[in-house]
Amino acid sequence: MEAPVNNSLQQFKNLVGTKFQLYNSLFTSLPFHRVEKTGIFLSLFLLHCEESYAKGMSPQEIMDSFFDQYTTYTDEQKKIDLLFRFVQYAERQVVLFDALEDAAFRHIRDMQGTGTLRHLQSEVIQEQAQEKLKEKLKDFSVRLVLTAHPTQFYPSEVLGIINDLAKALIEDNTAQVNMYLQQLGKTPFFKKEKPTPYDEAISLVWFLENIFYQAGGRIMSFMKAQFPDAISDDAGVLRMGFWPGGDRDGNPFVNAPTTIEVAAALRNSILKCYFREVRNLKRRLTFKRVENVVAALEAKLSRNLFQPGHVFDISQKEILETLADIRKTIIEEHNGLFVHLVDNLASKVQIFGLFFASLDIRQDSSVHEALLDTIAAVSPALPDNYASLGDEGKIAALLNVSQPVDTALLEKPLHKDTIDTIAAIKQIQQSNGEEGCNRYIISHSTSVLNVIEVYGLFLLSGWKKEEITVDIVPLFETIDDLRHAGQVMKSLYENADYRQHLQRRGCKQTIMLGFSDGTKDGGYLMANWSIYKAKEELSAISKEYGINVVFFDGRGGPPARGGGKTHQFYASMGRNIANKEIQQTIQGQTISSNFGTIDAAQFNMEQLVHAGIANELFSSREVTLSKDEEQLLQSLADAGYDAYNKLKNHPFFLEYLDHASPLRYYAEANIGSRPSKRNASAKLNLNDLRAVPYVGAWSQLKQNVPGYYGVGSALQQLDQQGKWEAVEHLYKHSLFFRTLLDNCEMAMKKSYFPLTAYLAKHPQYGEVWNMIYNEYELTKKYLLRLNGESELMAGSPIDHLSIQMRERIVLPLLTAQQYALLRIRELDAQPGNGHGKEVWEKLVMRCSFGIINAGRNSA
């Protein structure tokens, strides 16, 4: 095992490390103002930062001494100009690094090794598990849901350049690399205006068209070729989901017309992909009795795509049947020539239909509650006294709705739009197929009533009970919600009307579990453990009632939001956790880092498919935790929860984050269409603060609190209770526990306390800083004791080196950002002297772009 790791590490050093140094020198010829000087100054500044932080200096001292020692600048404007040029330069260094990693992907990862489909194939043969595989694949699938959560600062133009740059780097085409770097120099990295939800959708459609379409087709073609008996024609092993344009939780800019517009964009986009591929087929399938069929299909796709006013008249079934006829003729009359091309297209049509990705609708339960109270007050569709009824009375009233509500009676645009959206689902299903939009997710689900409220809203929108072709998906997020989830679902399963609805939906219930708010609410260990326990309980209850439960994980990029080594997480689920489907959100840098190229996307999708299948097929795999191990994990989670709560409840906790980090500037960064708080007018509080800015602010402080805080305290507590051997045993034998701690190490590796050490003696915030730093040191001590390594992430040398190099690129930006925040605080402290503040605020935001892009899964 050692040799491949060393070999891959050497490849990484050659293809990424060395090439970065070489191509980095090309930056001096980029079309920037005074660029040569910027490059030299930036190198000097980086070394100056590293040496000065080692001596315990603060960002302000480092910045002042740098300008004194290395420049002749005395004019503040000249200093500011140089700092902005540093940002420009470093941003483009990050892009170069991203492109080099993308280009090196297949040389660094074993594309046929552990966790791939080739590996699965050999395991199936070895274990003679062909029949088991066939059974498993009847209803197993992996669904990746692209979300618009703003953790990606690259505009789509820059994403395109990264993609082209990676291709030029693979071919070692220096002239082209130089041209793309010049293009990069001229291309803006930040948006002057906030994107609309439609803009966000279109930027993610780029990934669907250029990456997932190809990678998904490759995977399906391979599986059909290797497991022909196991994959049926309607098998949905891969599915894509989509949130931009459908996720309206706290986003006032998403409305029913946007949802319809995004659904149409998805349909046109997939038809374009099919049209291009059919045109290519036409060049190969020039045979008798085939040529004309291909031409007719091309003409029909063209009419549906490009003819204005044309009534949509093509279906997934029709395309698949046409391809099946072509296939039959080729095999019978033309020796099967180019049949693989037809199969490849058929695989894609099978996965993506006419919808490309299923558009999910999401809204907060509080919106439904307020809307129903209003309907009762203005319309006869609900009883007058509805608002004063208890939960049981409200549920009965909602299940007995017999007439739709007249939306003209609703004054609030949000209320009217909620009803219009439910009507829009029907429209989308007619044009894109049922899978185009067939899930309604309820944020902050806490009760049976929250689910029945949505069921009632469908009836109030004119849907008949037996016609509701939509899954209602509760989302449990906080620690309390997760604890009560089992009881909520049990009561729902016992409700006769809802049960009939589930029977019409194939006895399948999807439940979404959110990591982000769980971590924010309960800390790292408690959030992860609570979700594990909720899944166990929900699996058992669903089984008891004859319901197939499917878990949809809201997993952000960083470990603090449930990210990290995702396939390992799924492989570590116990046998008593339902495993019919793997569904997760992917967003921001996670899309571009894990799925940014076809190779990377194929590799990471295969890892997920493998994790879900192998976990069930092979008996030697992860066994369910024993009672003692569960108790141990519960003790760890409780101790971690106590430690995190002490920090969270510190009177200056949120104030510290607001003071020291760029938290307040998230909303102004124009990276996403959603506000950074759910309640715009309220004072800053943890409940309203969205997880993205919360986790992102800690990331830019280089303290990553949500990704490890409480772990050290928990391990120390068990050590003091004489349970260290049991903890070591758990670490060796539980992939779940090991994955948790591996991901925790990643969050810690991206922390850098010298950046904020100047706050250690701060009269107001010093105590909070020291609590965080001490917990970090304690966690580090115990993790290294557990894994026997000398430094964090030593067991993942490639990731370790990648993080190290990225962190070096952004150290100057972190220093500049802290310096700018300090200048803003100074100006704020001088009454009436707000002059000049805007430029420093702009610098804070511009630094954020580079820092977060470099972190890849940091926000």
Side-chain angles (χ1 to χ4, degrees), residues 686-715:
L686 208 50
N687 287 340
D688 283 337
L689 186 60
R690 288 194 175 282
V692 167
Y694 177 71
V695 172
W698 285 117
S699 160
Q700 288 186 65
L701 260 189
K702 289 293 152 192
Q703 292 186 347
N704 285 330
V705 161
Y708 67 83
Y709 200 94
V711 174
S713 292
L715 290 169

PDB file of all heavy atoms in Angstrom, residues 686-715:
ATOM      1  N   LEU A 686     -27.631  33.586  16.702  1.00  0.00           N
ATOM      2  CA  LEU A 686     -27.171  32.341  16.083  1.00  0.00           C
ATOM      3  C   LEU A 686     -28.263  31.630  15.295  1.00  0.00           C
ATOM      4  O   LEU A 686     -27.995  31.037  14.256  1.00  0.00           O
ATOM      5  CB  LEU A 686     -26.617  31.421  17.179  1.00  0.00           C
ATOM      6  CG  LEU A 686     -25.542  30.422  16.746  1.00  0.00           C
ATOM      7  CD1 LEU A 686     -24.434  31.098  15.961  1.00  0.00           C
ATOM      8  CD2 LEU A 686     -24.964  29.713  17.958  1.00  0.00           C
ATOM      9  N   ASN A 687     -29.506  31.692  15.764  1.00  0.00           N
ATOM     10  CA  ASN A 687     -30.583  30.979  15.075  1.00  0.00           C
ATOM     11  C   ASN A 687     -30.849  31.528  13.683  1.00  0.00           C
ATOM     12  O   ASN A 687     -31.115  30.782  12.744  1.00  0.00           O
ATOM     13  CB  ASN A 687     -31.889  31.037  15.886  1.00  0.00           C
ATOM     14  CG  ASN A 687     -31.799  30.149  17.100  1.00  0.00           C
ATOM     15  OD1 ASN A 687     -30.969  29.243  17.153  1.00  0.00           O
ATOM     16  ND2 ASN A 687     -32.633  30.401  18.092  1.00  0.00           N
ATOM     17  N   ASP A 688     -30.812  32.872  13.552  1.00  0.00           N
ATOM     18  CA  ASP A 688     -31.119  33.479  12.255  1.00  0.00           C
ATOM     19  C   ASP A 688     -29.934  33.448  11.302  1.00  0.00           C
ATOM     20  O   ASP A 688     -30.095  33.531  10.097  1.00  0.00           O
ATOM     21  CB  ASP A 688     -31.547  34.942  12.442  1.00  0.00           C
ATOM     22  CG  ASP A 688     -32.980  35.035  12.960  1.00  0.00           C
ATOM     23  OD1 ASP A 688     -33.728  34.070  12.751  1.00  0.00           O
ATOM     24  OD2 ASP A 688     -33.330  36.051  13.580  1.00  0.00           O
ATOM     25  N   LEU A 689     -28.732  33.345  11.851  1.00  0.00           N
ATOM     26  CA  LEU A 689     -27.525  33.391  11.030  1.00  0.00           C
ATOM     27  C   LEU A 689     -27.421  32.124  10.193  1.00  0.00           C
ATOM     28  O   LEU A 689     -27.474  31.016  10.722  1.00  0.00           O
ATOM     29  CB  LEU A 689     -26.303  33.526  11.946  1.00  0.00           C
ATOM     30  CG  LEU A 689     -24.954  33.740  11.270  1.00  0.00           C
ATOM     31  CD1 LEU A 689     -24.961  35.012  10.449  1.00  0.00           C
ATOM     32  CD2 LEU A 689     -23.855  33.806  12.323  1.00  0.00           C
ATOM     33  N   ARG A 690     -27.275  32.263   8.906  1.00  0.00           N
ATOM     34  CA  ARG A 690     -27.180  31.092   8.040  1.00  0.00           C
ATOM     35  C   ARG A 690     -25.851  30.366   8.263  1.00  0.00           C
ATOM     36  O   ARG A 690     -24.851  30.966   8.627  1.00  0.00           O
ATOM     37  CB  ARG A 690     -27.285  31.507   6.578  1.00  0.00           C
ATOM     38  CG  ARG A 690     -28.685  31.931   6.198  1.00  0.00           C
ATOM     39  CD  ARG A 690     -28.835  32.007   4.705  1.00  0.00           C
ATOM     40  NE  ARG A 690     -30.206  32.312   4.350  1.00  0.00           N
ATOM     41  CZ  ARG A 690     -31.192  31.437   4.363  1.00  0.00           C
ATOM     42  NH1 ARG A 690     -30.970  30.199   4.709  1.00  0.00           N
ATOM     43  NH2 ARG A 690     -32.417  31.794   4.019  1.00  0.00           N
ATOM     44  N   ALA A 691     -25.865  29.084   7.975  1.00  0.00           N
ATOM     45  CA  ALA A 691     -24.676  28.272   8.236  1.00  0.00           C
ATOM     46  C   ALA A 691     -23.499  28.666   7.341  1.00  0.00           C
ATOM     47  O   ALA A 691     -22.354  28.596   7.754  1.00  0.00           O
ATOM     48  CB  ALA A 691     -25.006  26.790   8.053  1.00  0.00           C
ATOM     49  N   VAL A 692     -23.779  29.083   6.095  1.00  0.00           N
ATOM     50  CA  VAL A 692     -22.671  29.409   5.184  1.00  0.00           C
ATOM     51  C   VAL A 692     -21.824  30.566   5.721  1.00  0.00           C
ATOM     52  O   VAL A 692     -20.618  30.426   5.877  1.00  0.00           O
ATOM     53  CB  VAL A 692     -23.189  29.694   3.752  1.00  0.00           C
ATOM     54  CG1 VAL A 692     -22.108  30.319   2.896  1.00  0.00           C
ATOM     55  CG2 VAL A 692     -23.670  28.405   3.108  1.00  0.00           C
ATOM     56  N   PRO A 693     -22.433  31.730   6.041  1.00  0.00           N
ATOM     57  CA  PRO A 693     -21.581  32.799   6.591  1.00  0.00           C
ATOM     58  C   PRO A 693     -20.976  32.435   7.943  1.00  0.00           C
ATOM     59  O   PRO A 693     -19.853  32.833   8.244  1.00  0.00           O
ATOM     60  CB  PRO A 693     -22.530  33.999   6.719  1.00  0.00           C
ATOM     61  CG  PRO A 693     -23.891  33.524   6.412  1.00  0.00           C
ATOM     62  CD  PRO A 693     -23.798  32.196   5.739  1.00  0.00           C
ATOM     63  N   TYR A 694     -21.722  31.663   8.751  1.00  0.00           N
ATOM     64  CA  TYR A 694     -21.211  31.279  10.070  1.00  0.00           C
ATOM     65  C   TYR A 694     -19.933  30.439   9.927  1.00  0.00           C
ATOM     66  O   TYR A 694     -18.883  30.770  10.478  1.00  0.00           O
ATOM     67  CB  TYR A 694     -22.296  30.503  10.825  1.00  0.00           C
ATOM     68  CG  TYR A 694     -21.871  29.985  12.188  1.00  0.00           C
ATOM     69  CD1 TYR A 694     -21.684  30.870  13.250  1.00  0.00           C
ATOM     70  CD2 TYR A 694     -21.661  28.627  12.411  1.00  0.00           C
ATOM     71  CE1 TYR A 694     -21.294  30.404  14.501  1.00  0.00           C
ATOM     72  CE2 TYR A 694     -21.272  28.152  13.663  1.00  0.00           C
ATOM     73  CZ  TYR A 694     -21.094  29.044  14.702  1.00  0.00           C
ATOM     74  OH  TYR A 694     -20.710  28.576  15.937  1.00  0.00           O
ATOM     75  N   VAL A 695     -20.021  29.383   9.147  1.00  0.00           N
ATOM     76  CA  VAL A 695     -18.857  28.500   8.966  1.00  0.00           C
ATOM     77  C   VAL A 695     -17.769  29.232   8.176  1.00  0.00           C
ATOM     78  O   VAL A 695     -16.582  29.129   8.479  1.00  0.00           O
ATOM     79  CB  VAL A 695     -19.283  27.190   8.246  1.00  0.00           C
ATOM     80  CG1 VAL A 695     -18.069  26.352   7.882  1.00  0.00           C
ATOM     81  CG2 VAL A 695     -20.220  26.374   9.144  1.00  0.00           C
ATOM     82  N   GLY A 696     -18.191  30.012   7.164  1.00  0.00           N
ATOM     83  CA  GLY A 696     -17.217  30.725   6.338  1.00  0.00           C
ATOM     84  C   GLY A 696     -16.427  31.759   7.122  1.00  0.00           C
ATOM     85  O   GLY A 696     -15.234  31.940   6.888  1.00  0.00           O
ATOM     86  N   ALA A 697     -17.093  32.450   8.053  1.00  0.00           N
ATOM     87  CA  ALA A 697     -16.394  33.468   8.857  1.00  0.00           C
ATOM     88  C   ALA A 697     -15.326  32.802   9.735  1.00  0.00           C
ATOM     89  O   ALA A 697     -14.199  33.308   9.852  1.00  0.00           O
ATOM     90  CB  ALA A 697     -17.398  34.237   9.718  1.00  0.00           C
ATOM     91  N   TRP A 698     -15.658  31.657  10.334  1.00  0.00           N
ATOM     92  CA  TRP A 698     -14.652  30.936  11.142  1.00  0.00           C
ATOM     93  C   TRP A 698     -13.489  30.474  10.266  1.00  0.00           C
ATOM     94  O   TRP A 698     -12.331  30.471  10.676  1.00  0.00           O
ATOM     95  CB  TRP A 698     -15.284  29.713  11.825  1.00  0.00           C
ATOM     96  CG  TRP A 698     -16.148  30.048  12.993  1.00  0.00           C
ATOM     97  CD1 TRP A 698     -17.487  29.820  13.117  1.00  0.00           C
ATOM     98  CD2 TRP A 698     -15.740  30.667  14.227  1.00  0.00           C
ATOM     99  NE1 TRP A 698     -17.939  30.267  14.334  1.00  0.00           N
ATOM    100  CE2 TRP A 698     -16.890  30.786  15.038  1.00  0.00           C
ATOM    101  CE3 TRP A 698     -14.521  31.141  14.717  1.00  0.00           C
ATOM    102  CZ2 TRP A 698     -16.850  31.349  16.316  1.00  0.00           C
ATOM    103  CZ3 TRP A 698     -14.483  31.708  15.989  1.00  0.00           C
ATOM    104  CH2 TRP A 698     -15.643  31.807  16.771  1.00  0.00           C
ATOM    105  N   SER A 699     -13.824  30.109   9.046  1.00  0.00           N
ATOM    106  CA  SER A 699     -12.797  29.632   8.126  1.00  0.00           C
ATOM    107  C   SER A 699     -11.815  30.757   7.779  1.00  0.00           C
ATOM    108  O   SER A 699     -10.608  30.545   7.716  1.00  0.00           O
ATOM    109  CB  SER A 699     -13.490  29.108   6.869  1.00  0.00           C
ATOM    110  OG  SER A 699     -12.597  29.053   5.808  1.00  0.00           O
ATOM    111  N   GLN A 700     -12.346  31.967   7.573  1.00  0.00           N
ATOM    112  CA  GLN A 700     -11.459  33.080   7.222  1.00  0.00           C
ATOM    113  C   GLN A 700     -10.669  33.595   8.419  1.00  0.00           C
ATOM    114  O   GLN A 700      -9.635  34.237   8.258  1.00  0.00           O
ATOM    115  CB  GLN A 700     -12.275  34.206   6.592  1.00  0.00           C
ATOM    116  CG  GLN A 700     -12.721  33.814   5.204  1.00  0.00           C
ATOM    117  CD  GLN A 700     -13.391  34.938   4.487  1.00  0.00           C
ATOM    118  OE1 GLN A 700     -12.767  35.943   4.187  1.00  0.00           O
ATOM    119  NE2 GLN A 700     -14.664  34.776   4.201  1.00  0.00           N
ATOM    120  N   LEU A 701     -11.159  33.300   9.595  1.00  0.00           N
ATOM    121  CA  LEU A 701     -10.392  33.616  10.813  1.00  0.00           C
ATOM    122  C   LEU A 701      -9.306  32.576  11.035  1.00  0.00           C
ATOM    123  O   LEU A 701      -8.493  32.691  11.939  1.00  0.00           O
ATOM    124  CB  LEU A 701     -11.329  33.573  12.026  1.00  0.00           C
ATOM    125  CG  LEU A 701     -11.868  34.865  12.600  1.00  0.00           C
ATOM    126  CD1 LEU A 701     -12.584  34.596  13.907  1.00  0.00           C
ATOM    127  CD2 LEU A 701     -10.741  35.870  12.828  1.00  0.00           C
ATOM    128  N   LYS A 702      -9.382  31.508  10.247  1.00  0.00           N
ATOM    129  CA  LYS A 702      -8.482  30.348  10.384  1.00  0.00           C
ATOM    130  C   LYS A 702      -8.619  29.723  11.775  1.00  0.00           C
ATOM    131  O   LYS A 702      -7.625  29.355  12.405  1.00  0.00           O
ATOM    132  CB  LYS A 702      -7.018  30.767  10.099  1.00  0.00           C
ATOM    133  CG  LYS A 702      -6.795  31.076   8.636  1.00  0.00           C
ATOM    134  CD  LYS A 702      -6.924  29.830   7.791  1.00  0.00           C
ATOM    135  CE  LYS A 702      -7.373  30.096   6.378  1.00  0.00           C
ATOM    136  NZ  LYS A 702      -7.769  28.909   5.641  1.00  0.00           N
ATOM    137  N   GLN A 703      -9.869  29.636  12.231  1.00  0.00           N
ATOM    138  CA  GLN A 703     -10.112  28.984  13.527  1.00  0.00           C
ATOM    139  C   GLN A 703     -11.083  27.803  13.404  1.00  0.00           C
ATOM    140  O   GLN A 703     -11.135  26.968  14.290  1.00  0.00           O
ATOM    141  CB  GLN A 703     -10.631  30.014  14.535  1.00  0.00           C
ATOM    142  CG  GLN A 703      -9.555  31.028  14.896  1.00  0.00           C
ATOM    143  CD  GLN A 703      -9.956  31.983  15.984  1.00  0.00           C
ATOM    144  OE1 GLN A 703     -11.118  32.092  16.356  1.00  0.00           O
ATOM    145  NE2 GLN A 703      -8.990  32.697  16.517  1.00  0.00           N
ATOM    146  N   ASN A 704     -11.868  27.738  12.336  1.00  0.00           N
ATOM    147  CA  ASN A 704     -12.709  26.571  11.997  1.00  0.00           C
ATOM    148  C   ASN A 704     -13.411  25.910  13.182  1.00  0.00           C
ATOM    149  O   ASN A 704     -13.516  24.677  13.251  1.00  0.00           O
ATOM    150  CB  ASN A 704     -11.864  25.527  11.259  1.00  0.00           C
ATOM    151  CG  ASN A 704     -11.594  25.967   9.829  1.00  0.00           C
ATOM    152  OD1 ASN A 704     -12.407  26.668   9.228  1.00  0.00           O
ATOM    153  ND2 ASN A 704     -10.456  25.606   9.296  1.00  0.00           N
ATOM    154  N   VAL A 705     -13.897  26.727  14.093  1.00  0.00           N
ATOM    155  CA  VAL A 705     -14.538  26.225  15.323  1.00  0.00           C
ATOM    156  C   VAL A 705     -15.588  25.120  15.086  1.00  0.00           C
ATOM    157  O   VAL A 705     -15.580  24.104  15.762  1.00  0.00           O
ATOM    158  CB  VAL A 705     -15.146  27.414  16.122  1.00  0.00           C
ATOM    159  CG1 VAL A 705     -16.194  26.965  17.128  1.00  0.00           C
ATOM    160  CG2 VAL A 705     -14.025  28.150  16.846  1.00  0.00           C
ATOM    161  N   PRO A 706     -16.508  25.292  14.098  1.00  0.00           N
ATOM    162  CA  PRO A 706     -17.552  24.265  13.958  1.00  0.00           C
ATOM    163  C   PRO A 706     -17.027  22.898  13.521  1.00  0.00           C
ATOM    164  O   PRO A 706     -17.742  21.906  13.614  1.00  0.00           O
ATOM    165  CB  PRO A 706     -18.486  24.841  12.877  1.00  0.00           C
ATOM    166  CG  PRO A 706     -18.131  26.284  12.770  1.00  0.00           C
ATOM    167  CD  PRO A 706     -16.687  26.392  13.140  1.00  0.00           C
ATOM    168  N   GLY A 707     -15.768  22.841  13.059  1.00  0.00           N
ATOM    169  CA  GLY A 707     -15.239  21.575  12.551  1.00  0.00           C
ATOM    170  C   GLY A 707     -14.501  20.726  13.563  1.00  0.00           C
ATOM    171  O   GLY A 707     -14.105  19.596  13.257  1.00  0.00           O
ATOM    172  N   TYR A 708     -14.274  21.239  14.782  1.00  0.00           N
ATOM    173  CA  TYR A 708     -13.559  20.401  15.767  1.00  0.00           C
ATOM    174  C   TYR A 708     -13.896  20.731  17.219  1.00  0.00           C
ATOM    175  O   TYR A 708     -13.609  19.944  18.126  1.00  0.00           O
ATOM    176  CB  TYR A 708     -12.022  20.539  15.590  1.00  0.00           C
ATOM    177  CG  TYR A 708     -11.521  21.913  15.939  1.00  0.00           C
ATOM    178  CD1 TYR A 708     -11.248  22.272  17.256  1.00  0.00           C
ATOM    179  CD2 TYR A 708     -11.367  22.880  14.959  1.00  0.00           C
ATOM    180  CE1 TYR A 708     -10.835  23.553  17.584  1.00  0.00           C
ATOM    181  CE2 TYR A 708     -10.957  24.169  15.276  1.00  0.00           C
ATOM    182  CZ  TYR A 708     -10.695  24.495  16.581  1.00  0.00           C
ATOM    183  OH  TYR A 708     -10.298  25.755  16.896  1.00  0.00           O
ATOM    184  N   TYR A 709     -14.501  21.893  17.474  1.00  0.00           N
ATOM    185  CA  TYR A 709     -14.622  22.340  18.868  1.00  0.00           C
ATOM    186  C   TYR A 709     -15.402  21.324  19.712  1.00  0.00           C
ATOM    187  O   TYR A 709     -16.475  20.884  19.338  1.00  0.00           O
ATOM    188  CB  TYR A 709     -15.308  23.711  18.965  1.00  0.00           C
ATOM    189  CG  TYR A 709     -14.996  24.386  20.284  1.00  0.00           C
ATOM    190  CD1 TYR A 709     -13.944  25.280  20.389  1.00  0.00           C
ATOM    191  CD2 TYR A 709     -15.706  24.073  21.437  1.00  0.00           C
ATOM    192  CE1 TYR A 709     -13.619  25.870  21.606  1.00  0.00           C
ATOM    193  CE2 TYR A 709     -15.391  24.652  22.653  1.00  0.00           C
ATOM    194  CZ  TYR A 709     -14.342  25.546  22.728  1.00  0.00           C
ATOM    195  OH  TYR A 709     -14.017  26.113  23.953  1.00  0.00           O
ATOM    196  N   GLY A 710     -14.824  20.959  20.850  1.00  0.00           N
ATOM    197  CA  GLY A 710     -15.459  19.992  21.751  1.00  0.00           C
ATOM    198  C   GLY A 710     -14.883  18.594  21.626  1.00  0.00           C
ATOM    199  O   GLY A 710     -15.060  17.759  22.518  1.00  0.00           O
ATOM    200  N   VAL A 711     -14.159  18.325  20.538  1.00  0.00           N
ATOM    201  CA  VAL A 711     -13.608  16.971  20.330  1.00  0.00           C
ATOM    202  C   VAL A 711     -12.514  16.688  21.363  1.00  0.00           C
ATOM    203  O   VAL A 711     -12.483  15.634  21.993  1.00  0.00           O
ATOM    204  CB  VAL A 711     -13.072  16.796  18.883  1.00  0.00           C
ATOM    205  CG1 VAL A 711     -12.374  15.449  18.713  1.00  0.00           C
ATOM    206  CG2 VAL A 711     -14.217  16.927  17.874  1.00  0.00           C
ATOM    207  N   GLY A 712     -11.615  17.654  21.550  1.00  0.00           N
ATOM    208  CA  GLY A 712     -10.535  17.465  22.528  1.00  0.00           C
ATOM    209  C   GLY A 712     -11.077  17.302  23.936  1.00  0.00           C
ATOM    210  O   GLY A 712     -10.673  16.397  24.676  1.00  0.00           O
ATOM    211  N   SER A 713     -12.033  18.163  24.323  1.00  0.00           N
ATOM    212  CA  SER A 713     -12.639  18.082  25.669  1.00  0.00           C
ATOM    213  C   SER A 713     -13.297  16.723  25.886  1.00  0.00           C
ATOM    214  O   SER A 713     -13.201  16.141  26.964  1.00  0.00           O
ATOM    215  CB  SER A 713     -13.706  19.171  25.836  1.00  0.00           C
ATOM    216  OG  SER A 713     -13.091  20.433  25.854  1.00  0.00           O
ATOM    217  N   ALA A 714     -13.967  16.223  24.837  1.00  0.00           N
ATOM    218  CA  ALA A 714     -14.659  14.933  24.951  1.00  0.00           C
ATOM    219  C   ALA A 714     -13.655  13.797  25.139  1.00  0.00           C
ATOM    220  O   ALA A 714     -13.831  12.927  26.009  1.00  0.00           O
ATOM    221  CB  ALA A 714     -15.507  14.694  23.705  1.00  0.00           C
ATOM    222  N   LEU A 715     -12.590  13.817  24.342  1.00  0.00           N
ATOM    223  CA  LEU A 715     -11.580  12.748  24.448  1.00  0.00           C
ATOM    224  C   LEU A 715     -10.866  12.814  25.793  1.00  0.00           C
ATOM    225  O   LEU A 715     -10.584  11.792  26.420  1.00  0.00           O
ATOM    226  CB  LEU A 715     -10.566  12.861  23.298  1.00  0.00           C
ATOM    227  CG  LEU A 715     -11.120  12.515  21.901  1.00  0.00           C
ATOM    228  CD1 LEU A 715     -10.123  12.913  20.812  1.00  0.00           C
ATOM    229  CD2 LEU A 715     -11.458  11.033  21.779  1.00  0.00           C
TER     230      LEU A 715
END
